Structure formats: structure tokens, C-alpha cells
């Protein structure tokens, strides 16, 4: 019985550690930034590779391609961080 209880405690601790590392990796929703889509003349985007990680957990080639996705679907996607997800 004590072994089962110890295993449950370890499992709960492991879940808390993984949740904390995900928060530190992606920050909190208050820290996400809104892309400045007004600066892009869509439908074309530059081909520069400057990846951003969207709040939908998708890596976009650059901020402009994220803006294209927002305009296509109407979703409110924020930038979690610069770089891939």
C-alpha cells in the first residue's frame, strides 16, 4: 500500500514539473504578443525565414504568414515567442 501511495505522489510531482517547464518555455498568455498585421500587404508575404510560434502551437515561417492564417480563419492567434514551437 505504501508503495502505491509513493508511486502516486511521484506521478503527481512529475506532472507538476512538466507543467512548470511548459510555462517557462512558452510563458503565460499575458506575455503573448499580437502580431502587427497592418504592416503586411497581403496576399503576398516576404520569403524571409524568421519563424514565430503561434498560440495554436504551429510554427509559422514569419509573422506575415501568421497574419495570413489569421485573416483566412478569423482566429485570434498570438505570438508565443520568436522561433519555432
Amino acid at each position: 500500500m505504501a508503495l502505491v501511495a509513493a508511486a502516486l505522489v511521484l506521478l503527481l510531482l512529475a506532472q507538476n514539473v512538466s507543467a512548470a517547464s511548459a510555462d517557462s518555455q512558452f510563458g503565460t498568455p499575458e506575455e503573448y504578443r499580437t502580431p502587427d498585421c497592418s504592416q503586411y500587404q497581403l496576399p503576398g508575404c516576404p520569403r524571409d525565414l524568421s519563424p514565430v510560434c503561434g498560440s495554436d502551437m504551429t510554427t509559422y515561417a514569419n509573422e506575415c504568414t501568421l497574419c495570413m492564417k489569421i485573416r483566412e480563419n478569423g482566429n485570434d492567434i498570438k505570438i508565443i515567442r520568436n522561433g519555432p514551437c
Side-chain angles (χ1 to χ4, degrees):
M1 185 67 157
L3 186 57
V4 172
L8 288 174
V9 168
L10 289 175
L11 181 63
L12 290 172
L13 287 174
Q15 288 176 341
N16 287 340
V17 168
S18 66
S21 67
D23 285 345
S24 65
Q25 182 179 5
F26 295 112
T28 61
E30 296 81 30
E31 297 172 330
Y32 300 170
R33 68 180 174 92
T34 302
D36 182 11
C37 296
S38 65
Q39 67 179 328
Y40 302 109
Q41 299 298 319
L42 298 177
C45 283
R47 292 186 168 194
D48 64 325
L49 183 60
S50 183
V52 293
C53 179
S55 57
D56 60 350
M57 298 309 296
T58 301
T59 299
Y60 294 91
N62 53 44
E63 189 172 325
C64 181
T65 57
L66 171 61
C67 290
M68 282 180 44
K69 186 68 167 184
I70 291 170
R71 288 189 178 153
E72 286 174 6
N73 296 345
N75 296 339
D76 184 26
I77 305 170
K78 305 290 186 191
I79 296 175
I80 292 177
R81 67 177 183 178
N82 293 327
C85 295

